[in-house]
């Protein structure tokens, strides 16, 4: 069973080559396909990803939902694995995913930890072991079988922000998510660029407004207005 790893990118030239190489190394001999879906980054992300051995696609807009759907459409694997560019995967991740699929779990994620030993971040990561949509998020990565992905209709192209929660809301109507026991390491760069407390407040606000039915434009404007380094665009 082949895994297609799909990475949406926008201006990730500093890390994309090492990420592609690290993923291939940590697949531990399993057959994987690495697809980078770049939103026309002006910093050379696409060229660096291609040189590192990834299959590279290009989309016109920096919308992760559209990028990940494009990657899935071009993938040849029976399992899709959606990964952000700035995460560090555990060794043997492919074995974990295949074990989950073979146990009947159509989709799943890892728990998380951060690359900086900050107490607040440690608290955030400790919640990732629990079931419940509030404790999920794209930073935990997401594997999904091709059949299940197609069954639920993939990502919603109209969802620019909170696309990870939106697809999980639909997925959990069919079965419970498989939370794998090991952890991916999240970069704390967003927290370092912004105040930890403020970033958490904005995250909770956007999360709450999303579930209350706020428009994507409202959510993006809030996030872009208060969080440095945010890469969302509603245009």
């Amino acid at each position: 069973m082949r895994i297609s790893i799909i990475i949406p990118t926008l201006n990730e030239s500093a890390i994309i080559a090492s990420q592609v190489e690290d993923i291939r190394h940590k697949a531990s001999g399993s057959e994987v396909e690495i697809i980078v879906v770049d939103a026309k980054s002006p910093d050379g992300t696409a060229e660096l990803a291609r040189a590192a051995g990834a299959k590279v696609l290009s989309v016109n807009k920096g919308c992760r939902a559209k990028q990940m759907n494009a990657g899935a459409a071009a993938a040849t694997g029976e399992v899709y694995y959606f990964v952000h560019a700035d995460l560090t995967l555990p060794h043997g991740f492919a074995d974990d995913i295949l074990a989950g699929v073979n146990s009947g779990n159509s989709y799943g994620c890892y728990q998380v930890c951060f690359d900086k030993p900050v107490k607040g971040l440690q608290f955030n990561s400790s919640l990732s072991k629990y079931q419940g949509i509030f404790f999920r998020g794209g930073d935990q990565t997401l594997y999904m079988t091709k059949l299940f992905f197609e069954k639920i209709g993939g990502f919603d192209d109209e969802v620019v922000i909170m696309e990870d929660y939106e697809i999980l809301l639909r997925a959990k109507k069919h079965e419970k998510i498989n939370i794998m026991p090991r952890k991916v390491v999240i970069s704390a760069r967003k927290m370092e660029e912004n105040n930890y407390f403020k970033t958490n407040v904005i995250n909770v606000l956007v999360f709450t407004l999303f579930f209350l039915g706020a428009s994507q434009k409202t959510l993006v404007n809030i996030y872009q207005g208060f969080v440095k380094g945010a890469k969302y665009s509603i245009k």
Side-chain angles (χ1 to χ4, degrees):
M1 190 177 293
R2 191 181 197 196
I3 299 173
S4 293
I5 299 158
I6 299 165
I7 309 171
T9 58
L10 176 61
N11 294 328
E12 298 287 7
S13 62
I15 58 177
I16 191 58
S18 59
Q19 175 67 305
V20 171
E21 293 165 0
D22 188 60
I23 288 173
R24 198 172 298 283
H25 171 66
K26 289 178 177 175
S28 299
S30 296
E31 185 180 3
V32 297
E33 172 184 48
I34 302 176
I35 303 174
V36 171
V37 189
D38 187 59
K40 294 190 180 298
S41 300
D43 68 347
T45 296
E47 292 77 10
L48 290 166
R50 189 176 291 110
K55 178 178 181 180
V56 178
L57 307 177
S58 179
V59 298
N60 291 322
K61 184 179 179 182
C63 170
R64 280 203 296 251
K66 289 185 176 181
Q67 289 171 267
M68 291 186 287
N69 279 338
T76 62
E78 294 82 20
V79 181
Y80 303 149
Y81 188 34
F82 302 99
V83 176
H84 292 180
D86 60 349
L87 304 177
T88 302
L89 301 181
H91 282 278
F93 68 87
D95 293 333
D96 294 340
I97 292 171
L98 295 177
V101 172
N102 290 330
S103 296
N105 299 295
S106 299
Y107 74 114
C109 67
Y110 276 114
Q111 298 176 44
V112 300
C113 62
F114 285 84
D115 60 359
K116 297 293 173 62
V118 179
K119 285 187 177 180
L121 297 180
Q122 291 174 341
F123 172 73
N124 280 18
S125 62
S126 70
L127 300 176
S128 65
K129 63 185 177 183
Y130 297 112
Q131 286 284 342
I133 192 69
F134 184 77
F135 307 120
R136 303 278 68 81
D139 284 335
Q140 297 170 347
T141 71
L142 175 67
Y143 83 75
M144 193 169 285
T145 65
K146 177 181 179 179
L147 290 176
F148 190 71
F149 185 82
E150 292 176 346
K151 178 180 179 179
I152 67 173
F155 289 91
D156 185 340
D157 280 344
E158 299 304 313
V159 178
V160 178
I161 187 170
M162 301 288 287
E163 77 292 331
D164 41 4
Y165 293 97
E166 193 282 329
I167 194 173
L168 290 176
L169 283 173
R170 286 182 283 121
K172 77 185 189 75
K173 293 178 181 179
H174 299 272
E175 62 180 79
K176 186 169 66 174
I177 191 169
N178 173 34
I179 303 174
M180 296 181 285
R182 295 202 291 165
K183 298 180 180 182
V184 293
V185 181
I186 301 177
S187 169
R189 62 179 178 173
K190 184 168 69 175
M191 294 293 188
E192 289 178 322
E193 292 174 9
N194 299 272
N195 175 272
Y196 166 77
F197 178 75
K198 185 183 83 170
T199 303
N200 268 331
V201 169
I202 296 303
N203 285 341
V204 171
L205 175 62
V206 170
F207 181 92
T208 303
L209 290 175
F210 171 77
F211 280 91
L212 290 175
S215 71
Q216 286 288 296
K217 183 176 181 179
T218 296
L219 299 180
V220 169
N221 285 342
I222 291 172
Y223 206 81
Q224 294 281 49
F226 291 97
V227 179
K228 297 176 184 178
K231 297 181 179 181
Y232 299 105
S233 175
I234 203 71
K235 297 179 181 178

